[in-house]
Amino acid sequence: IIGAQLSRVLGPGVPEESRTGVERSTLVHVPNTRGSNDFFGRSDLGGGLVTLFEEVDERLSQIVRILDKHASPKMAGPANLIDQDGNVNLLADYFGVSGNQPVPQYLTWDAQLIAAFEAYKAVKDEIFRHSQISPLLAGYVNGASYDSGRAYKMQLAPTLAKTARKGLYLDAGLREAVRLAVAIYTGKSYSDTP
């Protein structure tokens, strides 16, 4: 949070300055992940993840629209089944057909949703790859179950590496925040606080 954003978060009535007794700023910056020339860090949602999330939403919405559209199919059959008011008795369990009359039937459409589900699966796999999160954590297990803990751990390797990297930044930031809190609580200077 920077500048004007901080005042919006804290709300009105917060003093501009408050004496803590600590000779430095009490704000602790904890970057998400850093590059070599990037002080503030990078977002986990960078690298196209937001676009992939939008694509998943669009794919699933498209599949639902197709299924909704064809959930209540229309019916076709001989014209003599229609009464004077233009209605067909759909409650009847039996339609009598004689000779060459067409059999009453529903007009259905083969939605061919296999391609849509394959596209959804491909986008989902890309999300896991870009975010460095193992699909195993989300319950997606391809093939048989794992026979050993080692095989399970190998599937979790990207996620474990990511959490270790994040832990490096978080650990240093938490230590500094606790040190500042102790300095404020005890009234000692920051440099005298272990």
Side-chain angles (χ1 to χ4, degrees):
I1 301 174
I2 301 172
Q5 296 174 346
L6 184 61
S7 64
R8 274 184 285 174
V9 170
L10 295 176
V14 176
E16 287 284 325
E17 212 173 279
S18 180
R19 299 280 174 210
T20 60
V22 178
E23 65 273 8
R24 55 154 286 180
S25 172
T26 55
L27 295 177
V28 177
H29 172 63
V30 180
N32 187 28
T33 55
R34 272 192 186 154
S36 59
N37 59 355
D38 188 10
F39 174 75
F40 292 105
R42 285 175 266 148
S43 170
D44 278 338
L45 297 178
L49 271 176
V50 173
T51 307
L52 290 172
F53 290 139
E54 290 169 353
E55 182 65 22
V56 164
D57 287 344
E58 178 58 34
R59 286 284 158 211
L60 291 177
S61 297
Q62 181 183 37
I63 291 169
V64 168
R65 279 193 305 272
I66 290 170
L67 293 175
D68 285 346
K69 184 175 183 176
H70 298 286
S72 180
K74 306 297 183 215
M75 190 168 193
N80 63 356
L81 291 177
I82 302 173
D83 62 15
Q84 282 100 7
D85 297 328
N87 297 321
V88 176
N89 182 8
L90 295 178
L91 299 176
D93 290 335
Y94 176 77
F95 288 100
V97 177
S98 62
N100 294 351
Q101 283 187 327
V103 177
Q105 61 186 352
Y106 283 106
L107 298 175
T108 59
W109 174 66
D110 183 11
Q112 307 252 341
L113 293 176
I114 293 171
F117 278 111
E118 288 297 321
Y120 164 73
K121 184 179 179 302
V123 172
K124 183 183 67 176
D125 292 343
E126 282 299 306
I127 287 174
F128 286 127
R129 190 175 69 76
H130 280 293
S131 64
Q132 298 175 341
I133 294 176
S134 172
L136 200 59
L137 291 176
Y140 297 107
V141 180
N142 293 334
S145 62
Y146 295 99
D147 294 333
S148 69
R150 182 178 173 152
Y152 195 76
K153 189 174 180 179
M154 292 300 291
Q155 287 291 315
L156 296 175
T159 307
L160 294 173
K162 181 178 184 175
T163 54
R165 282 192 309 272
K166 286 181 173 283
L168 294 174
Y169 296 115
L170 189 59
D171 184 56
L174 286 176
R175 287 177 189 272
E176 187 174 347
V178 169
R179 185 176 175 193
L180 282 167
V182 169
I184 292 169
Y185 183 74
T186 61
K188 294 182 178 180
S189 71
Y190 178 76
S191 56
D192 292 339
T193 306

